[in-house]
Amino acid sequence: MEQRNGFMGHFQYCLSGHPTLPCNVLKFKSTTIMLDCGLDMTSTLNFLPLPLVQSPRLSSLPGWSLKDGNAFLDKELKECSGHVFVDSVPEFCLPETELIDLSTVDVILISNYHCMMALPYITEHTGFTGTVYATEPTVQIGRLLMEELVNFIERVPKAQSASLWKNKDIQRLLPSPLKDAVEVSTWRRCYTMQEVNSALSKIQLVGYSQKIELFGAVQVTPLSSGYALGSSNWIIQSHYEKVSYVSGSSLLTTHPQPMDQASLKNSDVLILTGLTQIPTANPDGMVGEFCSNLALTVRNGGNVLVPCYPSGVIYDLLECLYQYIDSAGLSSIPFYFISPVANSSLEFSQIFAEWLCHNKQTKVYLPEPPFPHAEVAVNMLTQDVSLSLLINTLHFQYGAQFIVYFCFIDWLIQTNKLKHYPSIHGDFSNDFRQPCVVFTGHPSLRFGDVVHFMELWGKSSLNTVIFTEPDFSYLEALAPYQPLAMKCVYCPIDTRLNFIQVSKLLKEVQPLHVVCPEQYTQPPPAQSHRMDLMVDCQPPAMSYRRAEVLALPFKRRYEKIEIMPELADSLVPMEIKPGISLATVSAVLRTKDNKHVLQPPPRPTQPTGGKKRKRASDDIPDCKVLKPLLSGSIPVDQFVQTLEKHGFSDIKVEDTAKGHIVLLQEAETLIQIEEDSTHIICDDDEVLRVRLRDLVLKFLQKF
Amino acid sequence: MDPECARLLPALCAVLADPRQPVADDTCLEKLLDWFKAVTEAGSSLLLLQEHPCLVELLFHALRAQDLSPRTLSFALRLAGVFAAQENCFQHLQGDPSLFVASAAGQLLVHILDLAMREPAEGRVCPQAWDWPVCARKIVCHLEDCLRSDAAPRVTQALHVLTTTFGHCHGLWTQGLWVQLSPLVACLLEKDPMPAPHTLVDLLLSVARSSVPSSDPGLWETVAQTLSRLSPTQAGPLAAGILKLQDCPQALRIQAFNVLLQPLACVLEAATQAPATPGLLEGAAGDLMAVDTLPPSKSACVGLLCSALAHLELLQPLPQRPSPWPQAPLLAAAVTILRFCNGSAAPSSEAGGRLCTMLVGCVRVQRAALDFLGVLSQGLGPQELVTQVFAVLLEYLMSPDSSPMVLKKAFQATLRWLLSSAMPPGCCDLEPCAQLVLGELLAMLQKRLCSPCWEVRDSGLEFLTQVTRHWGGQASFRQVLLASELPELTRQLLQDPESYVRASAVAAVGQLSSWGLLAAPSSPEQPAIPQETPLEALLLILTTDSEGFPRRAVMRVFTEWLRDGHAEVAEDPERFVAQVLRAAGKDGDWEVRVQGLELALVFLERLLGPRGSSAAAPPSVTARALRALCQVQLFEFAFRSLFDCDRPVAQKSCDLLLFLRATATPPGSPQEAGDRPNVASVEAALRRWRAGEQGQPLGELAPEAILAVLRSMDLEALRDTLAKSSDHVERSPQSLLQDMLATVGVLGDNEADCY
C-alpha cells in the first residue's frame, strides 16, 4: 500500500570541495549517511619536506621576512628557491566539520581506499557512534595507506608546530600560494596509529551486492566500481526512492572486478564523484610514456624514481613493466619497492603462497612465462579442494585477475625481480645497486623515503623522477627541490571515468537527476574551450561546492504500508470500475523503525463494570461511527423521472459547465449535480431536503 | 577449342543443368567463363554454338528452370551475355533477389542493348527512338517503367543498367538514349527525398564521361542542380567526379570544388577569432560557410570531413585539379583540423565548440588529415604556415595519446615536409625551421624507440632510416644524431622480441653504418668497449634469427652495402660475399635466397661491369672475375638455386647465369682448343640436384670448367619454362573441365552407393 509522503525532504551536505576526495552527508528518509571521507593532502605542499636523513640544504634555509624587514615569522616560514614554505609538521585539510553535527551521522559508506583517509578524524573526534561499511580489500589496503602515512610522519619527529602564520591578518601578508590557502585554521596534524586502529574497528565488512538494512527505512548496497581492488559504488534506496552514489569508477579491465553499471539504472538521483583528474590523458598512452622514459633513463645509466602510494597505480605499473623489462633489455636493472608497509602490501600474495602445497607452488611459479592467462593460474590454484572454496569466494567477489595479480606480485618477489624494503635504512643500503628503479612514497614529496632520493639524485641530469599519481601538482611537489638537474616526467595515470565514458554511462543508466561537484559542470579553467571536458546531461547536473547544502530533487514521495492479515480479511472491496475495487478501512497506523503497519482498530470498550486498570493501548480514542462513502453518478433523466413519481412537478433541467441544475420551481428548490458533488439548495425546509437527499442517495453506491 | 575439351563439354553442361549436382565453387565458374571469353574472342561465337549445341541447351534450360542455384543462373546469364544470344528472356530475371543474378541480368541487358543498337546506328548520326529495333525498344520501355516506379529497388536496378550502358557503350546511339530518358532522371532528381542518391550520382558521372555532353549541354545544368540539391555527404563523390573530368564548364568546376572545400571552410571558420581572415571560399555566399551546415551528429560530421579530405588528397596531384589551388587555406584547414583533434584549437563560437567536442581524439579524422597534410607538402606555403605544420606534426609525434597508426601517419607526413623543405629542392640542406624540427625530432625519437608498443618502435625506426638516408651526410644532423642515444638504441633493437622491429632495426643499422654513424662511443670515463661491428651483428642475425623478416632485411642491407662500397665490406669484399652467400644458400626462406642472388649479381657487376652494356669484358678481366667468383663459391650457390623448388629463385639464378655467360663467353669467342676441361663431375652433380638430391657438393671448380658448363647448358630453354607459371599445367581449360567433372563424379559414385 502506498501513502503520499510530502513531509520529508532529502538533503546533501557537502563537506569536501575536492571532487576526487569526496565527503558528503546524505539525509535520506530518516537516516544520515556519510558518503566517503576523503582527506585533502594537497595542503602538505605548503610545508617543507621531512628529510629522513639530515639534509644540510634544508636545515640551512633562510627564514622568511616581510617586505619591511620584519622577521617575526622566520622560525615558521622558510624561503627556498623563490618559494615560501611552512617549517613544521605537515598538516591536512579536513572535511568541513561545522556544517552538520557529525555525531548524528548513522553510517559512513566507503567507496575505495583513497576515500577513507579522513576516517580517524571523523570517527574519533566528532562523537560519531555509528557504523562504517566497506569491502575487505578496501579496509586492508586503506589500513596500509594510513599506516604508511603515520609512519612517514612519526619517524621524523619535528618539535615545531607553526601556528602564527595561520592568523588571518598575517596570512594576508604572505606570498602565494600560502596567502590563498583556504581554511588554514582547521588544518590538522596527522592522526596516530591508535586512532587509526580505533577508526578501523568501527568498520563492518561488506561484499559486493550485499544488501544492508539501515533502520528499516533504507537499504544500502555496494557495487563493484572497477577502479581498484574492492572499490565500490553504492546504491541507497527506500521502497520508492533510489540514490546511486558513483565514486571512483573505471571501465578499464585491470585487476579489479568490472564495474557494475546495470544496477545503477532507475535512479532518482545519481551523485557523481571521483572522475579522472587528468581527463586529457589516456592511461594507456601514459603507461607507454612511463615505460619509454624509464627505459631511456636506465639505458643511459641513470636512476628512475617513481613517487607512489603503496597500492594502486603501482600494481598496474608493475604489471606493465613486467611485460616490458625483458623485451627492453632491462632484465638486469633492479626494481626496489620501499615502504614501511611494503611487506604487508604484499601480504595477500604471501598468504596465497602459504596456502599452496609445495607441488602446486612449483607449478604456479614456473618462471617462463608466469601467468600468461588468468584461467591458467586459477585452474592451477583450484586443484586443491580445500582451497577452492576460499578462492572461489575471492574470485567471485573480486575477479580472477585479483588472484592472478597477487600471484604475479609474489612471483616478482620470489624471482628477485622486485625487491622490497621497509625503509632506506638496514638491508636496503647493503643491496642498493645503481642504475635502478625505485618505487617509494609519498607522492607529495613532503615526507617518506622519496625525500631522500630527491636529495640524492636531484643533482644529476642522468636521473629521472616520473610522476604517475595524479593527486598532486608535480610542479608544486618539486618546488622545494629546485634548482633540480634531474629530469622530471609527468605521466599521470588515472584510470577513473573520463567525460566520454560518463556521458555513455548516463545515457545507459538514465538517472532522473545528476548531482556532481561544480568542477564537473564547466570545462577546466586552463582549457575553457574544451566543452567535451564536462558532464553533459539533461536536465543539467546540479552542482555543489564545499560547505553547501543541497536539497535533492525527488519526485516520487510514497511510503510502503503493510496491512495486517486480520485487517485485510475484514475488508469488503467493491468493484467500481472493471479492475478497480475500493474498500473503506478503519485502522490504526503504527510506525516503528521506519516501517508502517495498519492494524485493526481496537474494539469499542465493553462496559464491563470491572475494576481492571486501563492498559496503555486502551488510551486510543474510540472510533466514531463513520458515515458511509458514496460513489457513482446520477443519471439526470432517471432522476427527473423519479422526482415526478414522488410527486414533484414543474421540473426544469439546465445544463451547466460542470453538470446540471435540476430546478423544482414549485418548491423553489434547486439541485445542483456536478461530477464530484451534489448540492440541494432549499429554503430552510429540512423535511424536503432529507426527502430529496434520500432520492439522490438511491442512485449512489454506499460502502 | 581443342578436341579434348570439346569431348568433355557436353558432360559438363549436363552437370551444370542438373540442380542435384552441386557446382564445385564460384571460382570454377569464373575460370570457365574466362575460358569461354578467350574462345569467343579467338573465333566466331555463332560457330561455337553451332558446333556445341549443348551450350544452347544449357542456356535454354537455365532460363526455364526454377530450381537452379543462383550461382549457376548467374553463370548462364553471363555466358549468354558473352554469346549475346537469347535476348528475349531477360525481363523476369532482372528483379531476382540474388544480387549476383540481378547484376548479371543487368549486364546482359546492356550487352543486348548495345548489340541491338550498334547495327542500325551504323552510318547514322543518332537514331531516333522510332528507328530502334523492337528488342531495344522493349528494353528501354522496361527501363522507363522502372524509373517511373515507386519501388526503390526497381529504380536502383534501372539506374545501374544505365550507368553500365553509358560507361561501356560508346556508340552515338547513347546520346539518343539520354535524350529519351533524361526527363525521367530529372524527375527522380526532383523527388524529395531523392531516391538512390548514390546510384544517381554514379549515373550522372557515367553520362558526363560519355559522349552525351557534346550533344546535350543541358546535362551540365542537371549536374549543377543535383550538386546543390544533394546533402554535403552525398554531393562529395559527385563533386570529386566532376573535378576529375577533362572537360566541363568552369562554373560547374567551381561549384564542385566549393562542395569539397565547404567542410574545411567550416572548420577554419570555427577556429577563426577574427572574421576578416581570408577563408577558403572567398566570394561564396557567407551562409555556406556557417559551421552549422556541418552535420550535427558526430559520425556524419566525421564521415563528411574524412571524405572531403580524401577527395582533395586524390585531386591534389592531378593535372586537371582546380587552378588556382588554394594551397595556403588548405594547409591552414588541415592544421586546424589536427588541432581540433588534439584539443589544442580554441573554437570561436558555440558551434565551433560542438565541432571541437566531435573531433577531439577522433583517430579517423587524424589519419585522414595527416595523409592530406602529407600530400600538401608537394606545394609551397607561406613560411608561418609551414612553421605551424611542423609544430602540429611535432605535437602529434610527441603526444603520448597518438595511436600507433596516427603516429605512423605523422612520421610519414613529417618526412614529406622535411623533404620538401630541402633548400634548394633535392639538396640536403634544410631550411632553418626544418633544421630545428629535425633536432627536436631526434630527441623525440629516442623515447619512441623505447616505447612498449612495438608498432611505435617499428615506425620510429623506419623514420630514422629515412631521415638518415636523406641527411646522413649533413654536418648538423650528424652532430645531433651522434650526441643522442639513437645509434645505441638502434643497435639494441636488433635484439627486439618483435621480428618486424628487428627487421626495421636492421635497416636502420644498415643506413646509420653506411654513413659512419654507428661508431662505438668513447669518452675518458667510458673507454670504448670492444663491440661487435655492425657487419658482425647483422651476420649473426642472418645466421641465427628464427624469423624471415629480419634475415631478408639483412640481405637487403648487405646488397646495398656491397653496391655502395660500405667501408667494412670494402676491406675484403670476397670474404664478405663468400660469408653471405654461404648463409643465404642454407636459408629456408626463398626471399632470402633471391636476395642472395641479387647480392651475387651486384658482385658480378662490380667485377664485370653493369648489366645491359653490350660490350663483353676483356679476357683478362673475365679471367680475374671468374677466379674471384670461384673463390666466393658463387657458382655453387647459383647452380643450386637454378634447381630451387621456389620458382623466383630459379628464375633469378637463370638470369644471373645468362648475364655471366653473355659477358664471359660472348658469341663467337673462340673455344679454347686442345684439352677440354672435364665437366662430367659438374654435370653429374647438377643432374643430382635437379633430381632433388641436394647433399652433393660441387667441389673445387676451375674457371674453365665453369665456362664449359655454362656453354653446354640450355639456359634459354630453362628460362622459358620457368617463365610459365608453375601451375601452367594445372591451369589449362582441359584440366579445369576434368576437375569439375571429377568432383561431380565422386558425388555420382556416392549416389550410386546409396542405392
Side-chain angles (χ1 to χ4, degrees):
Chain A
M1 189 169 189
E2 293 173 4
Q3 176 200 338
R4 276 186 69 82
N5 168 15
F7 55 87
M8 214 178 277
H10 301 299
F11 294 95
Q12 178 180 298
Y13 296 77
C14 312
L15 311 187
S16 158
H18 197 303
T20 32
L21 297 168
C23 183
N24 292 307
V25 172
L26 190 66
K27 284 226 177 215
F28 182 70
K29 310 305 270 186
S30 50
T31 55
T32 305
I33 303 171
M34 179 180 275
L35 304 170
D36 281 329
C37 49
L39 182 63
D40 187 350
M41 296 198 235
T42 50
S43 55
T44 59
L45 294 173
N46 295 293
F47 293 78
L48 272 186
L50 294 180
L52 205 53
V53 179
Q54 171 72 18
S55 158
R57 184 184 75 91
L58 288 173
S59 51
S60 61
L61 290 173
W64 182 80
S65 50
L66 291 169
K67 273 182 196 154
D68 61 7
N70 195 331
F72 73 102
L73 282 167
D74 68 347
K75 290 276 184 295
E76 290 199 354
L77 303 181
K78 302 283 179 192
E79 204 165 345
C80 176
S81 341
H83 290 83
V84 177
F85 296 94
V86 182
D87 187 10
S88 149
V89 186
E91 293 177 341
F92 306 111
C93 179
L94 271 52
E96 203 63 46
T97 50
E98 304 296 316
L99 196 63
I100 182 173
D101 178 1
L102 294 176
S103 70
T104 63
V105 171
D106 298 312
V107 291
I108 302 179
L109 308 180
I110 302 294
S111 57
N112 63 66
Y113 47 76
H114 284 300
C115 292
M116 60 184 281
M117 296 299 279
L119 200 59
Y121 293 116
I122 306 292
T123 58
E124 307 309 302
H125 298 283
T126 62
F128 172 80
T129 55
T131 312
V132 185
Y133 291 100
T135 63
E136 182 167 8
T138 300
V139 178
Q140 297 295 353
I141 299 170
R143 174 194 294 277
L144 297 182
L145 294 181
M146 290 179 178
E147 256 182 58
E148 191 194 65
L149 187 67
V150 172
N151 192 305
F152 279 160
I153 290 173
E154 284 185 352
R155 75 185 176 184
V156 189
K158 194 149 186 157
Q160 189 177 346
S161 183
S163 55
L164 262 182
W165 72 277
K166 291 184 182 177
N167 182 310
K168 272 190 179 157
D169 294 328
I170 295 174
Q171 198 197 352
R172 267 191 292 118
L173 307 172
L174 305 180
S176 286
L178 279 178
K179 184 174 68 177
D180 310 315
V182 288
E183 315 258 359
V184 290
S185 59
T186 67
W187 290 10
R188 291 286 173 273
R189 302 173 70 150
C190 188
Y191 33 70
T192 64
M193 221 32 236
Q194 201 180 0
E195 288 168 327
V196 169
N197 287 330
S198 173
L200 295 180
S201 70
K202 297 183 170 74
I203 298 185
Q204 193 163 324
L205 299 181
V206 290
Y208 288 144
S209 304
Q210 184 182 333
K211 293 177 168 52
I212 303 133
E213 288 276 336
L214 303 182
F215 317 111
V218 176
Q219 197 181 58
V220 295
T221 312
L223 306 173
S224 169
S225 77
Y227 165 54
L229 291 175
S231 69
S232 7
N233 292 322
W234 290 86
I235 299 289
I236 302 130
Q237 60 189 340
S238 65
H239 288 296
Y240 295 100
E241 286 131 327
K242 177 172 174 181
V243 179
S244 293
Y245 175 59
V246 174
S247 188
S249 301
S250 177
L251 297 174
L252 292 185
T253 47
T254 52
H255 43 270
Q257 186 151 322
M259 179 180 178
D260 178 354
Q261 298 186 60
S263 306
L264 300 173
K265 285 184 180 172
N266 302 319
S267 303
D268 297 277
V269 170
L270 186 142
I271 303 169
L272 184 65
T273 66
L275 304 185
T276 174
Q277 299 188 71
I278 320 289
T280 50
N282 147 26
D284 285 342
M286 284 301 164
V287 170
E289 194 77 355
F290 172 82
C291 291
S292 306
N293 281 296
L294 184 143
L296 197 59
T297 303
V298 292
R299 277 178 170 164
N300 212 9
N303 302 294
V304 176
L305 178 61
V306 188
C308 64
Y309 294 113
S311 185
V313 172
I314 183 179
Y315 292 171
D316 300 314
L317 290 179
L318 286 172
E319 209 163 354
C320 294
L321 273 175
Y322 152 71
Q323 292 164 7
Y324 176 65
I325 43 181
D326 283 336
S327 67
L330 303 176
S331 27
S332 61
I333 301 294
F335 285 67
Y336 301 116
F337 175 24
I338 303 170
S339 163
V341 295
N343 224 349
S344 323
S345 175
L346 306 162
E347 208 170 42
F348 268 114
S349 49
Q350 286 163 346
I351 292 168
F352 264 107
E354 283 167 25
W355 280 337
L356 298 167
C357 60
H358 182 71
N359 58 339
K360 304 278 164 28
Q361 208 168 1
T362 49
K363 270 187 190 170
V364 171
Y365 297 133
L366 283 177
E368 285 298 327
F371 300 111
H373 299 294
E375 303 90 280
V376 177
V378 174
N379 287 342
M380 287 174 181
L381 289 162
T382 48
Q383 283 167 9
D384 188 328
V385 183
S386 63
L387 284 178
S388 63
L389 195 67
L390 174 71
I391 290 162
N392 279 340
T393 312
L394 287 169
H395 183 183
F396 176 72
Q397 273 288 309
Y398 306 113
Q401 284 290 326
F402 176 81
I403 296 162
V404 175
Y405 168 71
F406 278 113
C407 292
F408 160 71
I409 295 288
D410 197 44
W411 172 82
L412 279 182
I413 294 162
Q414 299 286 326
T415 53
N416 244 356
K417 284 184 190 293
L418 177 70
K419 295 176 182 135
H420 63 101
Y421 304 88
S423 136
I424 50 168
H425 300 302
D427 288 347
F428 175 72
S429 41
N430 300 329
D431 299 350
F432 184 49
R433 199 154 51 78
Q434 302 189 67
C436 64
V437 181
V438 169
F439 294 87
T440 189
H442 184 271
S444 65
L445 305 193
R446 292 302 178 271
F447 37 84
D449 301 85
V450 74
V451 175
H452 174 72
F453 286 100
M454 285 303 295
E455 294 284 324
L456 185 72
W457 288 344
K459 299 174 205 79
S460 166
S461 62
L462 282 178
N463 303 324
T464 306
V465 53
I466 309 183
F467 293 88
T468 56
E469 299 287 355
D471 291 350
F472 301 91
S473 146
Y474 80 104
L475 289 174
E476 284 182 48
L478 288 171
Y481 299 94
Q482 300 292 358
L484 203 63
M486 91 194 283
K487 285 194 281 286
C488 303
V489 178
Y490 184 52
C491 295
I493 297 166
D494 197 332
T495 57
R496 287 172 280 203
L497 297 179
N498 62 32
F499 289 99
I500 299 172
Q501 291 165 331
V502 164
S503 159
K504 281 186 187 152
L505 175 75
L506 293 180
K507 271 187 195 140
E508 178 74 23
V509 306
Q510 296 199 322
L512 291 181
H513 296 279
V514 175
V515 173
C516 64
E518 62 173 352
Q519 290 94 330
Y520 295 162
T521 57
Q522 60 219 15
Q527 289 160 302
S528 56
H529 66 282
R530 294 289 299 269
M531 304 301 282
D532 55 318
L533 302 183
M534 56 186 272
V535 171
D536 180 22
C537 62
Q538 279 308 325
M542 295 177 68
S543 69
Y544 65 82
R545 61 170 75 175
R546 189 180 167 109
E548 229 175 43
V549 182
L550 214 62
L552 298 181
F554 280 99
K555 276 197 176 164
R556 291 183 288 188
R557 291 181 180 178
Y558 289 99
E559 285 292 335
K560 189 168 183 168
I561 298 176
E562 268 180 41
I563 299 181
M564 299 285 283
E566 58 264 42
L567 179 62
D569 274 349
S570 70
L571 299 182
V572 187
M574 271 177 69
E575 191 164 41
I576 52 155
K577 272 185 194 173
I580 297 179
S581 298
L582 286 181
T584 52
V585 57
S586 304
V588 172
L589 177 66
R590 194 183 181 88
T591 297
K592 188 184 175 189
D593 291 344
N594 295 303
K595 288 213 160 90
H596 312 288
V597 181
L598 279 181
Q599 295 176 334
R603 291 193 190 106
T605 38
Q606 301 285 324
T608 54
K611 289 181 181 171
K612 272 187 188 169
R613 281 182 62 184
K614 275 189 174 179
R615 289 202 308 262
S617 62
D618 295 338
D619 285 344
I620 294 166
D622 294 348
C623 296
K624 289 176 183 166
V625 179
L626 291 169
K627 288 182 183 171
L629 295 176
L630 302 172
S631 75
S633 59
I634 302 166
V636 178
D637 295 341
Q638 289 175 35
F639 181 58
V640 171
Q641 283 171 18
T642 309
L643 286 173
E644 283 169 351
K645 268 186 204 163
H646 285 81
F648 294 98
S649 56
D650 204 8
I651 302 168
K652 203 175 161 189
V653 178
E654 284 177 16
D655 290 348
T656 65
K658 291 181 178 174
H660 309 276
I661 294 177
V662 180
L663 270 172
L664 308 177
Q665 296 184 11
E666 198 179 307
E668 293 185 2
T669 294
L670 60 91
I671 304 164
Q672 198 178 322
I673 304 172
E674 293 182 356
E675 198 183 349
D676 51 358
S677 65
T678 302
H679 287 95
I680 300 166
I681 302 165
C682 59
D683 201 13
D684 206 16
D685 184 347
E686 183 61 9
V687 178
L688 175 66
R689 191 190 70 81
V690 172
R691 236 179 107 203
L692 287 172
R693 182 199 70 186
D694 291 343
L695 289 178
V696 169
L697 287 179
K698 278 189 178 174
F699 288 91
L700 296 175
Q701 292 158 314
K702 300 173 213 47
F703 53 100
Chain B
M1 190 183 295
D2 69 59
E4 184 55 23
C5 291
R7 195 181 63 77
L8 293 167
L9 199 56
L12 184 79
C13 287
V15 165
L16 288 175
D18 184 355
R20 290 175 309 150
Q21 302 278 12
V23 183
D25 58 51
D26 284 339
T27 2
C28 282
L29 295 176
E30 287 296 327
K31 285 179 187 168
L32 205 57
L33 213 57
D34 286 345
W35 175 56
F36 277 118
K37 267 185 205 158
V39 171
T40 51
E41 275 163 20
S44 154
S45 48
L46 187 64
L47 201 63
L48 187 70
L49 289 171
Q50 280 168 353
E51 283 175 357
H52 303 285
C54 61
L55 286 172
V56 181
E57 277 167 31
L58 173 66
L59 294 175
F60 270 126
H61 178 79
L63 293 169
R64 276 188 241 108
Q66 296 300 312
D67 46 3
L68 216 53
S69 73
R71 56 165 67 149
T72 316
L73 184 57
S74 146
F75 165 77
L77 286 169
R78 291 167 68 189
L79 186 63
V82 170
F83 293 134
Q86 301 303 319
E87 28 196 271
N88 294 324
C89 306
F90 57 87
Q91 287 190 3
H92 76 275
L93 284 167
Q94 208 197 350
D96 195 284
S98 157
L99 192 67
F100 292 109
V101 175
S103 153
Q107 284 177 20
L108 177 60
L109 277 183
V110 176
H111 278 298
I112 295 167
L113 194 61
D114 192 26
L115 206 67
M117 297 291 276
R118 225 182 265 170
E119 213 170 295
E122 270 170 21
R124 299 203 202 163
V125 179
C126 177
Q128 295 306 305
W130 53 84
D131 284 343
W132 293 349
V134 180
C135 156
R137 279 208 299 260
K138 261 190 174 176
I139 294 176
V140 174
C141 227
H142 171 68
L143 293 175
E144 284 175 336
D145 285 348
C146 288
L147 291 177
R148 281 194 205 97
S149 163
D150 286 329
R154 289 193 73 196
V155 177
T156 312
Q157 274 162 8
L159 292 174
H160 277 309
V161 170
L162 288 175
T163 306
T164 315
T165 307
F166 287 101
H168 294 289
C169 308
H170 307 295
L172 286 175
W173 59 269
T174 52
Q175 297 174 6
L177 184 66
W178 178 248
V179 172
Q180 175 88 3
L181 296 178
S182 60
L184 288 174
V185 174
C187 284
L188 290 177
L189 293 173
E190 276 161 22
K191 277 193 184 172
D192 192 21
M194 198 184 285
H198 296 293
T199 325
L200 270 169
V201 164
D202 288 346
L203 173 62
L204 287 179
L205 284 174
S206 181
V207 175
R209 290 187 202 109
S210 73
S211 61
V212 168
S214 60
S215 66
D216 176 19
L219 172 73
W220 299 127
E221 184 67 22
T222 312
V223 173
Q225 278 170 5
T226 312
L227 209 49
S228 57
R229 287 213 50 226
L230 288 168
S231 74
T233 315
Q234 293 164 340
L238 181 59
I242 291 167
L243 290 168
K244 283 180 202 153
L245 291 175
Q246 296 291 349
D247 201 15
C248 95
Q250 184 62 13
L252 183 61
R253 287 174 63 81
I254 291 173
Q255 190 190 348
F257 198 33
N258 282 352
V259 166
L260 296 186
L261 295 180
Q262 190 184 326
L264 275 64
C266 290
V267 172
L268 271 183
E269 194 213 31
T272 306
Q273 302 301 331
T277 316
L280 258 178
L281 292 174
E282 280 178 282
D287 59 337
L288 258 184
M289 291 192 284
V291 183
D292 293 330
T293 57
L294 284 175
S297 89
K298 178 177 172 171
S299 60
C301 183
V302 164
L304 176 65
L305 265 181
C306 287
S307 71
L309 288 167
H311 287 312
L312 290 168
E313 184 192 332
L314 288 175
L315 215 54
Q316 200 275 349
L318 297 183
Q320 69 267 37
R321 72 170 194 202
S323 176
W325 178 258
Q327 171 79 3
L330 283 176
L331 263 184
V335 169
T336 308
I337 291 174
L338 286 170
R339 287 202 185 284
F340 270 127
C341 288
N342 74 0
S344 64
S348 56
S349 62
E350 201 182 315
R354 281 201 301 277
L355 182 70
C356 171
T357 306
M358 286 194 272
L359 294 188
V360 146
C362 180
V363 173
R364 233 181 108 197
V365 176
Q366 287 175 2
R367 276 159 46 183
L370 283 166
D371 276 341
F372 181 54
L373 190 64
V375 164
L376 286 180
S377 68
Q378 301 306 306
L380 295 168
Q383 188 52 49
E384 60 189 78
L385 264 177
V386 175
T387 312
Q388 283 184 35
V389 167
F390 278 119
V392 80
L393 285 172
L394 265 179
E395 277 172 34
Y396 270 79
L397 291 173
M398 288 179 171
S399 164
D401 284 340
S402 295
S403 77
M405 183 46 92
V406 166
L407 203 62
K408 194 180 176 78
K409 300 266 181 202
F411 272 129
Q412 287 166 350
T414 307
L415 186 68
R416 296 183 78 154
W417 275 96
L418 284 173
L419 286 171
S420 75
S421 300
M423 211 177 46
C427 154
C428 68
D429 281 333
L430 284 166
E431 284 175 13
C433 142
Q435 190 77 55
L436 264 174
V437 169
L438 202 56
E440 288 187 61
L441 280 174
L442 295 186
M444 172 277 303
L445 256 187
Q446 296 188 96
K447 204 168 65 189
R448 291 299 187 191
L449 293 192
C450 294
S451 168
C453 174
W454 72 262
E455 290 93 336
V456 172
R457 299 198 295 274
D458 194 48
S459 39
L461 283 168
E462 282 174 7
F463 182 74
L464 177 65
T465 309
Q466 294 297 330
V467 288
T468 310
R469 188 185 302 281
H470 289 103
W471 293 285
Q474 198 213 27
S476 58
F477 174 84
R478 296 177 65 87
Q479 200 182 353
V480 180
L481 188 96
L482 285 172
S484 75
E485 293 292 308
L486 283 169
E488 186 50 32
L489 282 171
T490 310
R491 201 198 283 266
Q492 284 177 14
L493 288 172
L494 290 176
Q495 266 100 47
D496 198 276
E498 184 59 50
S499 65
Y500 294 111
V501 179
R502 290 202 297 279
S504 297
V506 164
V509 161
Q511 201 52 240
L512 288 171
S513 173
S514 292
W515 290 102
L517 289 164
L518 263 188
S522 62
S523 61
E525 307 93 63
Q526 282 185 305
I529 310 149
Q531 272 182 321
E532 59 183 3
T533 65
L535 175 58
E536 286 163 347
L538 297 197
L539 261 178
L540 191 68
I541 290 179
L542 182 63
T543 48
T544 58
D545 201 303
S546 58
E547 298 280 336
F549 300 107
R551 303 201 306 268
R552 291 176 205 168
V554 170
M555 288 306 295
R556 278 192 296 273
V557 167
F558 281 167
T559 310
E560 207 167 312
W561 279 2
L562 185 64
R563 187 179 288 133
D564 300 344
H566 182 273
E568 211 180 335
V569 171
E571 279 174 18
D572 188 351
E574 276 84 5
R575 186 161 166 265
F576 167 75
V577 173
Q579 274 178 317
V580 177
L581 292 188
R582 205 178 307 130
K586 289 182 205 150
D587 204 293
D589 186 313
W590 68 265
E591 287 193 45
V592 171
R593 300 198 296 276
V594 166
Q595 199 62 47
L597 287 159
E598 179 63 31
L599 181 128
L601 208 56
V602 170
F603 187 58
L604 270 183
E605 286 180 317
R606 277 173 59 99
L607 298 172
L608 297 168
R611 267 197 298 179
S613 64
S614 52
S620 61
V621 172
T622 311
R624 205 166 47 241
L626 284 173
R627 272 198 301 281
L629 295 178
C630 288
Q631 203 180 336
V632 302
Q633 295 196 312
L634 185 138
F635 292 107
E636 169 110 20
F637 178 61
F639 283 138
R640 275 186 192 275
S641 301
L642 207 52
F643 306 114
D644 199 289
C645 53
D646 285 295
R647 198 163 57 96
V649 181
Q651 270 181 313
K652 187 96 187 168
S653 171
C654 198
D655 289 347
L656 180 135
L657 292 173
L658 278 164
F659 164 55
L660 182 62
R661 194 179 69 183
T663 324
T665 64
S669 67
Q671 286 259 344
E672 287 184 32
D675 44 336
R676 261 180 64 94
N678 182 9
V679 295
S681 68
V682 179
E683 283 171 346
L686 293 186
R687 270 197 299 278
R688 277 196 295 277
W689 290 352
R690 190 196 290 267
E693 294 171 40
Q694 294 289 317
Q696 177 79 27
L698 206 54
E700 287 283 316
L701 283 178
E704 297 74 26
I706 298 294
L707 289 179
V709 171
L710 280 179
R711 279 197 207 95
S712 69
M713 288 176 91
D714 191 354
L715 288 170
E716 283 83 358
L718 188 60
R719 183 180 57 189
D720 293 345
T721 316
L722 288 170
K724 291 182 185 167
S725 69
S726 54
D727 59 348
H728 69 275
V729 179
E730 287 73 24
R731 265 209 200 161
S732 69
Q734 185 185 332
S735 163
L736 173 68
L737 297 183
Q738 280 169 341
D739 284 353
M740 289 180 78
L741 283 171
T743 325
V744 175
V746 172
L747 292 166
D749 288 347
N750 290 343
E751 191 177 47
D753 286 342
C754 291
Y755 290 101

